[in-house]
Amino acid sequence: MKKKVAFYTLGCKLNFSETSTIARSFSEEGFERVDFSENADMYVINTCSVTENADKKFKTIVKQAQGVNPNAFVAAIGCYAQLKPKDLAAVDGVDLVLGATEKFKITDYVNDLSKNDFGQVHSCEIEEADFYVGSYAIGDRTRAFLKVQDGCDYKCTYCTIPLARGISRSDTLSNVLKNAAEISSKGIKEIVLTGVNIGDYGKGEFGNKRHEHTFLDLVKALDEVEGIHRLRISSIEPNLLKNETIDFVAQSNSFVPHFHIPLQSGSDDLLKLMKRRYLTDLYIDRVSKIKTVMPNACIGVDVIVGFPGETEERFLETYHFLSELDISYLHVFTYSERDNTPAAAMEGVVPKNVRNKRSKMLRGLSVKKRRAFYESQLNTNRTVLFEGENKEGYIHGFTENYVKVKSPWNPELINTLHEVVLTEIDEDGLVRFEFK
């Protein structure tokens, strides 16, 4: 009988790509992968450390696994496992905790899958996380997440990622292209580029700190890969998104007009306290440049609310800044204190009820922004890539510029591209269409 393994991923697209690669290593060792809700001999949880909620959710997921099979072997990997290995090992039911470098060798640590009395920890000093492991996620989606970069050399005062993932380092261009070709050969239509700081691509490509290639070199090379219909840039820092890259995407064969650009605050005072590497003027310039060459581009924004020192005045500065900016949606993060970060010791702590109220205001603004963007796209011709899931009798898909559409369920549409005319927005805030 094959041993069965199941995976649960918390956090970002990068985590999903790494889970996929780790899962393939289990397949090579003769394991059968099953859904996390099914009975398995081993459960692997890929953790996240970005927010307090991801920390709390870990315990819930361990209980969920134990509810299905109390005798299963439970392993924790990922960012939180690197930052707080002893805390995770102390959670009832956890048998193994692996840090940043060990997670890619997880099958070496798995022998007879017998439960341990105490969680075993194998975790490196983060300075040792200086080598690169390429990853991509495929399988249950019509798109693949392709990891091109890992780690970060920035020192934002709220962020634990450099502590959890180490220094900035990149995959070799040749390996990225090889992985992209592999993904394409499996019939997947869309690739999303992921990393911790992908605009820093090229640093550490061959184990040194020089840039052998730039992010623009990467984009140009991927645009030439046969068989890829769509390439999407995930999140890229505004100071690393150059005009040349924007101009190239505007005339590209495969790259779609969709950018996700972290802002974090619309107050220059707060951006300085956060040690971000730009001010609001540069951010306005990036949005303006994109909209000049790609008027229908979708622009998503990350923003943090409740950072220490965020007075009512500074919050309203952020709110009005975003309100007036030609963007399409927000990802709102409520600030939570993280150990070993400078921000955790800063003055001007914002009460949690105020953080929650401000978060709600910005989420409301995001709904308005998305609606306005969708309305601007009505009666235009777009290409939709349809997803694979039947959601209450409907199939969903995304246009190249990230408008989410819905249509009555038709399995023949799965993972196919179709030209459509966007016609109306329904009561769920999704767009209906007619085939061209």
Side-chain angles (χ1 to χ4, degrees), residues 230 370 374 377-378 380 382-387 389 391 394-408 413 416 418 420-426 428-435:
R230 285 183 176 181
R370 195 184 294 270
Y374 281 11
Q377 298 304 300
L378 294 180
T380 63
R382 294 283 165 249
T383 304
V384 173
L385 173 59
F386 288 97
E387 309 264 308
E389 203 177 338
K391 292 185 179 174
Y394 287 93
I395 189 168
H396 294 108
F398 284 94
T399 64
E400 63 273 35
N401 60 342
Y402 215 55
V403 173
K404 191 172 185 180
V405 305
K406 69 186 284 191
S407 183
L413 292 176
T416 60
H418 292 272
V420 304
V421 181
L422 304 180
T423 55
E424 62 175 316
I425 302 172
D426 75 359
D428 296 323
L430 302 179
V431 180
R432 294 183 185 273
F433 62 87
E434 293 172 357
F435 288 103

Side-chain angles (χ1 to χ4, degrees), residues 251-319:
Q251 54 82 47
S252 155
N253 299 319
S254 310
F255 278 88
V256 294
H258 175 207
F259 295 87
H260 193 92
I261 314 169
L263 169 67
Q264 311 310 13
S265 177
S267 159
D268 284 342
D269 290 337
L270 286 180
L271 289 175
K272 289 171 187 172
L273 283 173
M274 292 174 171
K275 288 204 172 166
R276 300 294 285 161
R277 298 198 176 192
Y278 55 86
L279 296 174
T280 50
D281 279 354
L282 183 135
Y283 199 93
I284 292 168
D285 182 69
R286 299 298 78 208
V287 171
S288 172
K289 171 65 181 175
I290 291 166
K291 286 294 187 176
T292 299
V293 295
M294 289 170 275
N296 291 308
C298 177
I299 302 175
V301 181
D302 286 342
V303 61
I304 295 171
V305 290
F307 187 81
E310 186 187 71
T311 59
E312 187 71 13
E313 183 184 18
R314 284 170 172 169
F315 169 71
L316 290 175
E317 203 178 339
T318 295
Y319 187 92

Side-chain angles (χ1 to χ4, degrees), residues 47 58-59 62 66 74-77 80-99 115-123:
T47 63
F58 174 76
K59 290 179 183 175
V62 172
Q66 288 189 299
V74 177
I77 61 173
Y80 195 35
Q82 174 65 34
L83 290 173
K84 297 284 185 74
K86 289 178 182 173
D87 290 11
L88 293 195
V91 173
D92 188 40
V94 173
D95 299 289
L96 178 68
V97 179
L98 297 181
K115 294 292 285 178
N116 293 322
D117 293 333
F118 304 99
Q120 293 183 357
V121 174
H122 297 275
S123 181

Side-chain angles (χ1 to χ4, degrees), residues 365-381:
L365 178 62
S366 180
V367 171
K368 289 179 189 170
K369 285 286 185 183
R370 195 184 294 270
R371 175 90 189 194
F373 176 63
Y374 281 11
E375 284 177 352
S376 76
Q377 298 304 300
L378 294 180
N379 303 314
T380 63
N381 299 331

Side-chain angles (χ1 to χ4, degrees), residues 144-162:
F145 299 130
L146 173 58
K147 174 183 168 185
V148 300
Q149 182 273 344
D150 200 351
C152 188
D153 292 340
Y154 287 8
K155 297 290 186 284
C156 300
T157 54
Y158 53 82
C159 187
T160 57
I161 295 298

Side-chain angles (χ1 to χ4, degrees), residues 140-259:
D140 55 345
R141 298 166 185 266
T142 50
R143 65 180 63 87
F145 299 130
L146 173 58
K147 174 183 168 185
V148 300
Q149 182 273 344
D150 200 351
C152 188
D153 292 340
Y154 287 8
K155 297 290 186 284
C156 300
T157 54
Y158 53 82
C159 187
T160 57
I161 295 298
L163 301 173
R165 283 189 169 269
I167 59 173
S168 179
R169 54 210 188 272
S170 307
D171 203 351
T172 62
L173 187 57
S174 60
N175 198 52
V176 172
L177 297 178
K178 178 178 82 69
N179 285 341
E182 273 180 32
I183 292 166
S184 168
S185 71
K186 297 175 191 295
I188 289 169
K189 302 286 195 300
E190 181 175 311
I191 293 176
V192 183
L193 304 185
T194 70
V196 176
N197 187 358
I198 64 173
D200 203 25
Y201 177 79
K203 187 185 282 185
E205 187 182 345
F206 294 103
N208 55 48
K209 297 303 286 180
R210 285 201 320 275
H211 273 80
E212 298 294 331
H213 294 99
T214 64
F215 183 69
L216 181 59
D217 292 335
L218 172 73
V219 165
K220 285 181 173 177
L222 281 167
D223 203 47
E224 298 293 320
V225 176
E226 293 280 326
I228 300 176
H229 295 77
R230 285 183 176 181
L231 285 155
R232 202 178 290 276
I233 298 167
S234 58
S235 183
I236 183 166
E237 294 285 306
N239 53 302
L240 295 175
L241 178 57
K242 306 297 185 189
N243 283 344
E244 296 83 358
T245 303
I246 297 169
D247 284 332
F248 184 82
V249 169
Q251 54 82 47
S252 155
N253 299 319
S254 310
F255 278 88
V256 294
H258 175 207
F259 295 87

Side-chain angles (χ1 to χ4, degrees), residues 9-154:
T9 306
L10 289 159
C12 61
K13 295 181 178 76
L14 180 55
N15 268 9
F16 277 96
S17 73
E18 290 182 344
T19 297
S20 233
T21 294
I22 290 164
R24 287 194 289 276
S25 74
F26 274 90
S27 298
E28 287 162 11
E29 294 292 327
F31 281 75
E32 177 188 346
R33 183 176 182 178
V34 297
D35 190 78
F36 201 81
S37 61
E38 296 178 46
N39 194 309
D41 300 288
M42 180 175 180
Y43 294 91
V44 180
I45 304 166
N46 195 352
T47 63
C48 170
S49 68
V50 171
T51 67
E52 199 175 16
N53 285 342
D55 296 355
K56 288 176 181 170
K57 195 166 182 188
F58 174 76
K59 290 179 183 175
T60 307
I61 297 158
V62 172
K63 280 184 184 168
Q64 188 181 324
Q66 288 189 299
V68 181
N69 181 2
N71 299 313
F73 190 90
V74 177
I77 61 173
C79 291
Y80 195 35
Q82 174 65 34
L83 290 173
K84 297 284 185 74
K86 289 178 182 173
D87 290 11
L88 293 195
V91 173
D92 188 40
V94 173
D95 299 289
L96 178 68
V97 179
L98 297 181
T101 63
E102 292 82 7
K103 64 188 174 188
F104 293 108
K105 300 176 284 190
I106 184 170
T107 55
D108 294 349
Y109 294 93
V110 178
N111 297 315
D112 60 358
L113 297 186
S114 297
K115 294 292 285 178
N116 293 322
D117 293 333
F118 304 99
Q120 293 183 357
V121 174
H122 297 275
S123 181
C124 67
E125 294 299 317
I126 198 58
E127 291 78 16
E128 294 169 30
D130 58 359
F131 60 90
Y132 186 86
V133 177
S135 306
Y136 61 84
I138 55 172
D140 55 345
R141 298 166 185 266
T142 50
R143 65 180 63 87
F145 299 130
L146 173 58
K147 174 183 168 185
V148 300
Q149 182 273 344
D150 200 351
C152 188
D153 292 340
Y154 287 8

